[in-house]
Amino acid sequence: MAVNDLEQNDTFFRALIENSADAIALMSPEGRITYASPATKGCIGYTPEEVVGQNCFAFIHPEDLAAVQLVLAPMLATPGRVVTFEYRFRHKNGNYCWLKGTATNLLSHPAVHAILSNLHNISEQKRDEELLRANEENSRVLLVREQAVLRQEEAAKQHLSNLFMQSPAMICVLNGPELRLELVNDAFRQLYSKREFLPGKTVQENWPDLEGQGFFEKLYQVYQSGIAYVGNEVLAMVDRVDTGVLEPGYFNIVYQPAFDAQGKVNSIIVYVMEVTEQVLARQHIQNGEARLRRLIDANIVGVTFCNLDGRISEANDVFLQMVGYTREDLLAGKIDWAKMTPPEYKELDGRAVRDLRERGAIPRPYEKAYRRKDGTLLSVVVTAAALDEANPNECIAFILDNSMQKELDQSKDDFISMTSHELKTPVTSIKGFTQILLKRFEQRDEADIKRFLSIMDLQLDKLTRLIGDLLDISKVQGGKLVMEQKPFNLDTLISEMIEQMQATTTRQNIKLVGKTNATIIGDRDRVGHVIVNLITNAIKYSPDSSPIIVKIFCAEEQQAVTQIQDFGIGIDPSHQSKLFAQFYRVTDPHKPYPGLGIGLYLSRQIVERHDGKIWVESKKGEGSVFSFSLPLMHEQGKR
Ligand code: ADP
């Protein structure tokens, strides 16, 4: 190449370098700057003079230094190798700027002997990238947020829809002036189990059963006025199963208007809650209370609310009049049924209290007396029941004034007692004289007279027994039946009684079976009377000549049992439990038997006063077995 050409080339390249927009620098392998092009000023703010002789690594951002050295190392090792990298470089203004550098290893180049560095300030580009990244990040965050909000809204909507559908209250939405059904929830479908609700159809079309009950009119009123309607325990006749049968139900109702953006009503939300059960339960209680109140206020019987200890908390006027106390006495807590009761009735009351505690009621009304405020006695019939099964201490008691009945009973008893006494004296006297006459005529041979006198004697025995029974009855009633307490031999007594009774009949044969060797403590005459009663009945109610068997034996629990068996007319089971009641008789209009219905009653009184038991086993048409048991002497001693 000619010198001229060379010079021209040099000038050409210098001009290229010096006018290049990128800064161009030459550096030693250690980084010292040996040349910097004029563009250095535009790129990093320093003039070429300010940087030549400086080490370029001193300007590099400490965080980028290691990376830069890592990139440069292979380039330094390989002549001709070019590397490109981005790093932060301290600008003359003190801030770091982003440079894109290209370094070429021209160390072995014969004309250069340096690292050629091409620097391009890319701060703006970096900023734009950064901005773009930030923008992208922002949009992403916004998108995520928007999606989350949407999801939340969706969940809230779902939640509302679930609430609406599953609400225990019946809810529906009616739209527009014609009130067309938009939505109806499951609770409505439960009330009308078979109904197909038709969205878009009017309220009348969907609820034809409510026609004529005033509900539609109310809905239209709410739509027009914009004022909500609230109805409590409203009676509605509903066709629950769509069979055309209307049934009553009670409902709490709200018709809530909903408004559009202009404030005009555009729909009605209907809330309905069925309260039929509650209303009926309350009505039931109220009716019950009202009835009870009427009963109490009717003042037919005395009524008290009391507890089992005696305190009377409430009483009606009849009761107060009966016992002679005032309402003020009642309010002051001065009326106490236990304190008003004379001691002889305490046992009966104790039984009643036990029944109330155990069963909540007294099985049968019982007779007792109260001492009035003025000290006089009042005869009453009482019954009571616990007010609350769980708390038997609180009771309602009904008290009937029994004084009239008692007076009547008393006069009847007095009459019987007086008549019996009046009869007894002449009969005893006739009996005495009959026996004298009988003895006298026995010595003579006048059979007829003897026979007649014997008959008279027997009839007089009967009459005497009857009078004795009547007297005993009045004594039982007056609580004055006195029993002797003496030991006696049961077997002997029974033999005597059989002998005595056999003398009265030729038709029946009375047979004794067994023995007890029992000694009983008690009233021998009265136990004898029981045996006579039972044998008399056995004879009377066995019209055919059939035997009568008297069986005696000792049974478990130290009891002597006597059984009188006949093969007579027998007793229907429906009568058996009542036979031992006073004056009870089984009457047969076709075949009447004489009698008063007191024999078995007295027998039971006597046996029970000896701590014994009396019972019957019988079959109609086949005969009866009347039995009684008495405790043996050493058992009685334990009483
Ligand atoms: P009465 O005086 O009527 O016989 P009781 O008190 O002795 O009174 O008996 C009551 C009723 O029991 C009788 O009216 C009778 O119907 C029935 N009765 C008693 N004993 C017998 C019996 N052995 N067989 C059938 N019925 C009997």
Side-chain angles (χ1 to χ4, degrees):
M1 191 185 289
V3 172
N4 218 5
D5 285 351
L6 276 172
E7 274 178 5
Q8 263 186 11
N9 258 352
D10 191 35
T11 313
F12 172 71
F13 284 113
R14 189 168 288 276
L16 265 185
I17 289 169
E18 302 212 327
N19 289 299
S20 161
D22 287 354
I24 292 170
L26 293 177
M27 280 174 288
S28 72
E30 297 78 34
R32 200 171 50 81
I33 301 166
T34 54
Y35 167 81
S37 72
T40 309
K41 173 96 172 127
C43 191
I44 53 174
Y46 297 100
T47 59
E49 296 73 34
E50 283 170 323
V51 288
V52 170
Q54 305 273 1
N55 191 311
C56 75
F57 293 117
F59 295 90
I60 293 177
H61 194 289
E63 281 176 14
D64 297 344
L65 200 53
V68 169
Q69 281 170 343
L70 207 67
V71 176
L72 291 180
M75 182 273 297
L76 288 172
T78 322
R81 178 132 183 204
V82 181
V83 287
T84 304
F85 50 98
E86 289 176 5
Y87 59 100
R88 280 167 288 179
F89 194 92
R90 199 175 64 246
H91 195 277
K92 191 172 179 196
N93 64 14
N95 295 329
Y96 282 96
C97 58
W98 274 99
L99 295 184
K100 185 173 186 172
T102 307
T104 312
N105 182 346
L106 297 180
L107 288 172
S108 47
H109 192 285
V112 183
H113 291 299
I115 307 289
L116 171 67
S117 236
N118 188 334
L119 306 174
H120 182 70
N121 191 328
I122 55 164
S123 291
E124 221 153 88
Q125 182 190 333
K126 276 277 179 193
R127 238 187 334 271
D128 288 349
E129 276 174 20
E130 191 59 36
L131 219 60
L132 194 66
R133 226 184 359 262
N135 269 346
E136 272 174 3
E137 181 61 20
N138 265 353
S139 331
R140 206 179 56 77
V141 167
L142 276 179
L143 191 71
V144 168
R145 268 198 210 140
E146 204 171 303
Q147 280 170 347
V149 169
L150 274 178
R151 267 201 306 279
Q152 267 175 8
E153 273 175 11
E154 194 52 40
K157 250 193 220 161
Q158 190 58 42
H159 184 60
L160 265 180
S161 148
N162 286 350
L163 276 183
F164 170 80
M165 287 316 283
Q166 293 161 13
S167 157
M170 292 171 258
I171 308 176
C172 72
V173 180
L174 302 171
N175 275 343
E178 290 178 312
L179 299 175
R180 292 185 180 278
L181 179 66
E182 183 187 340
L183 274 173
V184 60
N185 77 343
D186 288 345
F188 251 122
R189 294 178 214 275
Q190 273 161 25
L191 176 69
Y192 291 103
S193 54
K194 301 227 167 90
R195 188 160 303 182
E196 285 274 340
F197 285 105
L198 303 169
K201 295 276 175 197
T202 63
V203 65
Q204 284 99 331
E205 286 166 316
N206 275 298
W207 279 273
D209 50 333
L210 298 184
E211 189 68 60
Q213 298 189 43
F215 295 104
F216 305 142
E217 292 75 358
K218 281 211 179 74
L219 281 164
Y220 289 125
Q221 220 171 303
V222 171
Y223 196 90
Q224 273 152 24
S225 67
I227 300 167
Y229 162 77
V230 179
N232 276 328
E233 298 180 359
V234 180
L235 173 68
M237 300 302 292
V238 286
D239 188 357
R240 291 171 194 263
V241 277
D242 286 324
T243 48
V245 183
L246 295 181
E247 280 174 40
Y250 290 90
F251 302 88
N252 288 346
I253 299 173
V254 180
Y255 297 156
Q256 180 67 50
F259 302 90
D260 62 13
Q262 283 74 48
K264 270 186 67 192
V265 178
N266 62 0
S267 58
I268 296 179
I269 305 166
V270 176
Y271 303 87
V272 182
M273 196 74 177
E274 173 148 28
V275 289
T276 308
E277 261 178 43
Q278 295 90 308
V279 171
L280 292 183
R282 204 188 51 238
Q283 281 178 357
H284 187 71
I285 292 171
Q286 282 168 349
N287 286 345
E289 275 173 6
R291 268 191 230 146
L292 186 63
R293 199 67 256 169
R294 273 202 294 281
L295 174 72
I296 294 169
D297 294 343
N299 283 329
I300 301 164
V301 290
V303 181
T304 65
F305 289 98
C306 54
N307 70 17
L308 297 182
D309 311 327
R311 201 176 55 82
I312 295 180
S313 52
E314 211 185 320
N316 67 351
D317 291 344
V318 173
F319 179 77
L320 293 175
Q321 276 158 20
M322 270 188 217
V323 291
Y325 281 90
T326 61
R327 198 151 280 285
E328 287 68 44
D329 292 332
L330 175 75
L331 295 174
K334 286 189 191 156
I335 317 184
D336 184 311
W337 64 260
K339 287 187 188 144
M340 279 160 52
T341 302
E344 56 268 36
Y345 296 101
K346 294 278 178 203
E347 200 187 318
L348 273 178
D349 276 352
R351 222 177 291 162
V353 164
R354 226 176 15 253
D355 282 331
L356 281 165
R357 280 220 174 91
E358 287 166 11
R359 314 188 204 170
I362 300 173
R364 248 172 279 117
Y366 66 102
E367 288 182 17
K368 62 172 280 183
Y370 285 130
R371 199 162 286 288
R372 292 194 184 92
K373 194 180 179 184
D374 64 8
T376 56
L377 273 185
L378 168 75
S379 239
V380 289
V381 176
V382 176
T383 192
L387 278 175
D388 173 4
E389 264 176 45
N391 175 19
N393 204 33
E394 295 288 328
C395 295
I396 181 167
F398 298 91
I399 302 107
L400 203 66
D401 184 342
N402 199 31
S403 44
M404 288 266 278
Q405 184 63 34
K406 272 279 154 195
E407 277 165 27
L408 272 175
D409 286 354
Q410 189 56 48
S411 40
K412 189 186 74 194
D413 291 347
D414 292 348
F415 173 78
I416 295 173
S417 163
M418 208 177 64
T419 327
S420 323
H421 274 292
E422 292 297 315
L423 286 169
K424 203 175 171 185
T425 322
V427 169
T428 314
S429 151
I430 297 170
K431 168 94 179 157
F433 287 116
T434 313
Q435 283 184 332
I436 295 170
L437 283 177
L438 199 58
K439 280 210 178 81
R440 292 215 182 142
F441 280 105
E442 261 168 3
Q443 282 130 34
R444 304 189 201 166
D445 194 16
E446 291 184 44
D448 274 356
I449 294 176
K450 211 180 104 189
R451 195 162 61 83
F452 295 151
L453 281 173
S454 298
I455 293 168
M456 278 173 71
D457 191 42
L458 272 178
Q459 292 302 330
L460 279 169
D461 279 344
K462 268 196 190 171
L463 200 55
T464 313
R465 268 205 303 277
L466 183 62
I467 294 165
D469 280 356
L470 287 172
L471 272 173
D472 278 355
I473 285 262
S474 55
K475 282 183 192 156
V476 168
Q477 255 135 27
K480 295 179 198 133
L481 187 66
V482 184
M483 295 281 159
E484 268 200 21
Q485 291 289 316
K486 283 192 188 150
F488 64 89
N489 182 287
L490 183 67
D491 297 3
T492 321
L493 174 67
I494 286 175
S495 301
E496 276 174 30
M497 294 299 115
I498 291 178
E499 199 179 323
Q500 198 180 322
M501 293 313 296
Q502 187 65 74
T504 66
T505 176
T506 46
R507 263 189 310 119
Q508 278 99 344
N509 182 22
I510 310 171
K511 256 198 328 199
L512 176 66
V513 178
K515 62 175 177 177
T516 64
N517 294 327
T519 304
I520 308 288
I521 296 182
D523 194 320
R524 188 177 194 275
D525 281 354
R526 287 215 156 83
V527 175
H529 201 70
V530 173
I531 300 162
V532 168
N533 272 343
L534 298 181
I535 298 179
T536 309
N537 280 348
I539 296 171
K540 182 160 73 173
Y541 297 107
S542 317
D544 305 324
S545 43
S546 53
I548 288 162
I549 301 165
V550 180
K551 191 173 165 194
I552 52 174
F553 57 91
C554 281
E556 283 168 10
E557 295 176 1
Q558 304 293 314
Q559 301 285 319
V561 181
T562 307
Q563 294 186 322
I564 289 98
Q565 181 174 21
D566 67 60
F567 301 90
I569 60 170
I571 306 153
D572 189 86
S574 61
H575 296 291
Q576 290 178 12
S577 62
K578 303 178 216 157
L579 293 180
F580 300 94
Q582 197 179 352
F583 306 127
Y584 192 86
R585 309 202 64 234
V586 184
T587 47
D588 179 352
H590 306 296
K591 199 161 192 333
Y593 288 90
L596 295 174
I598 53 177
L600 288 182
Y601 169 72
L602 273 178
S603 300
R604 177 180 169 182
Q605 300 299 321
I606 294 167
V607 169
E608 286 182 354
R609 290 286 299 271
H610 283 81
D611 284 337
K613 284 197 188 104
I614 186 162
W615 67 97
V616 62
E617 292 151 282
S618 182
K619 220 171 181 186
K620 198 162 168 53
E622 290 184 18
S624 315
V625 182
F626 279 85
S627 312
F628 69 92
S629 65
L630 296 171
L632 302 180
M633 185 170 80
H634 45 282
E635 281 303 301
Q636 289 173 310
K638 287 187 193 161
R639 277 184 273 149

